[in-house]
Structure formats: C-alpha cells, structure tokens
C-alpha cells in the first residue's frame, strides 16, 4: 500500500460526509454505539542516558474503532472503546541501534464533559505494546499489555457522524544498555470519523 493512500482515502471519505450531511440535526452529542476509521500518527522513543542517545521513530497510517457512549449526569458522560491502530514501524541508526514497534490494539474508557456538539474527555485503558529494540549492542523485545492514558475531543458533525481528535501514550521500563530502568514509550495522535448507530 502506498504510504499516502490511507490519508487520501480518509480525506475523500471525510469530504464526502461533510458535504452530504446537515448540521441542522446535530443539536447534541449522540449516546449509543458508534464505529469509525482514523488517520493515526505514532512516534516511539527510548530514553537518553548512560552515554546512549535518545532514539526515536515515527510514522503515519490508519486505525479503526468501535465504542459506546452514555450521558450519566447533566453534561457528564462515560464511554468505552475497542481500537486497532496501525503503528508498526522500524528504524535503524548508523551505529547499529534499532527501534521496531508493532501495531497497537486494546480497550479504553472515556470520562468527559459535553456541551451542544462538542466534548472533551480523559482516557484510561490498556493496549498491546509490542517492541523490539537494540541499543549499544544489547537487544530487548516484549509484546504485552501496558497502561494507556490520554485526552480527547469530539465534535458532532451531524446526527449520524462525529469527528474526534485524541492523543494517547503508553510506555515501559527496560534493562538495556547499562540502565536497569530505561524508559521506552509510544505516543499516538488519532483523527477519527465515527458513524453513530
């Protein structure tokens, strides 16, 4: 798949939705089930220290998600979501250091506040954190679930469609390259388009 294909596809769908839906019906955010697609920008990095440079890699791709949202008190709401983000990426440096990250999938909960068509929310969840790295000639790999934290915002475009923007982060500590507690992490920006059932 061409690197720009996910972005072109998403942009085409988004423009089609925006030009064929009406804002007149979107008086408030929808409760209930939803599902969608997203543009995903991700960046993985390792912490600097002990004579080892900070190493990072980044990439852009697509993601999908399904969830449920429910108003619980006045303007406050809770939600739950299952997601899959194509975050697979790899980078090799001139000294032999290498970072590789796998795709991300997991579940997360939202707690937020809404007004009219917009909302903001906090995110907490668990995601698969899959990495294989080499630093200063030492290699470590892991594929396990890690805590996920973040923030997000939603805008109800029409009665059926909403857009969301999120930032989430996950991480781990590893014993590598002379440091028994070296940080490794991944941050993900997601721009999504959801259909409400």
């Amino acid at each position: 798949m061409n690197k720009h294909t996910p972005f072109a596809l998403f942009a085409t769908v988004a423009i089609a939705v925006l030009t064929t839906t009406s804002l007149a019906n979107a008086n408030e955010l929808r409760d209930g089930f939803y599902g969608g697609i997203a543009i995903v920008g991700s960046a993985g990095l390792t912490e600097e220290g002990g004579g080892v440079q900070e190493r990072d890699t980044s990439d852009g791709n697509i993601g999908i998600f399904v969830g449920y949202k429910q108003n619980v008190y006045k303007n406050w709401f809770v939600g739950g979501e299952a997601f899959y983000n194509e975050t697979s990426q790899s980078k090799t440096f001139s000294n032999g250091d290498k970072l590789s990250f796998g795709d991300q999938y997991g579940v997360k909960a939202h707690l937020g506040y809404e007004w009219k068509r917009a909302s903001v929310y906090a995110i907490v969840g668990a995601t698969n954190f899959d990495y294989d790295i080499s630093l200063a000639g030492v290699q470590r790999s892991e594929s396990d679930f890690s805590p996920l934290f973040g923030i997000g915002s939603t805008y109800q475009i029409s009665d059926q469609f909403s857009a969301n923007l999120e930032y989430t982060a996950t991480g781990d500590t590893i014993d590598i390259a002379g440091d028994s507690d070296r940080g490794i992490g991944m941050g993900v920006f997601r721009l999504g388009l959801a259909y409400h059932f």
Side-chain angles (χ1 to χ4, degrees):
M1 180 183 287
N2 184 296
K3 190 176 183 85
H4 300 291
T5 301
F7 298 102
L9 176 64
F10 184 84
T12 302
V13 172
I15 290 169
V17 168
L18 291 173
T19 56
T20 59
T21 56
S22 167
L23 291 175
N25 295 327
N27 295 322
E28 58 185 25
L29 287 164
R30 291 279 305 270
D31 284 347
F33 290 99
Y34 62 87
I37 60 173
I39 294 173
V40 174
S42 58
L45 62 86
T46 60
E47 185 180 27
E48 180 179 5
V52 177
Q53 291 180 304
E54 177 185 291
R55 296 302 193 187
D56 63 75
T57 180
S58 62
D59 197 12
N61 226 308
I62 59 173
I64 56 173
F65 55 93
V66 293
Y68 184 84
K69 173 192 163 289
Q70 180 65 52
N71 181 274
V72 289
Y73 178 72
K74 294 188 177 178
N75 290 38
W76 293 94
F77 68 90
V78 295
E81 194 174 284
F83 65 92
Y84 174 85
N85 295 327
E86 242 187 306
T87 53
S88 179
Q89 56 198 271
S90 184
K91 184 176 181 180
T92 302
F93 299 85
S94 59
N95 71 340
D97 288 354
K98 183 176 180 180
L99 300 184
S100 294
F101 294 93
D103 292 336
Q104 190 182 67
Y105 53 87
V107 293
K108 55 193 178 75
H110 300 167
L111 172 61
Y113 185 85
E114 62 187 14
W115 60 100
K116 295 186 178 179
R117 297 187 186 114
S119 74
V120 292
Y121 51 92
I123 298 167
V124 61
T127 184
N128 180 60
F129 189 36
D130 180 8
Y131 60 84
D132 185 351
I133 67 170
S134 296
L135 294 176
V138 183
Q139 187 266 343
R140 295 285 184 271
S141 63
E142 185 66 71
S143 181
D144 203 356
F145 277 85
S146 292
L148 180 80
F149 301 97
I151 56 172
S153 178
T154 296
Y155 184 80
Q156 195 77 37
I157 300 166
S158 73
D159 193 46
Q160 247 40 72
F161 290 93
S162 67
N164 58 73
L165 178 64
E166 294 184 357
Y167 175 77
T168 56
T170 191
D172 199 0
T173 56
I174 53 175
D175 179 0
I176 190 170
D179 189 339
S180 61
D181 203 26
R182 187 178 300 275
I184 179 172
M186 173 170 279
V188 175
F189 280 101
R190 187 186 86 179
L191 176 60
L193 180 67
Y195 178 82
H196 296 260
F197 297 96

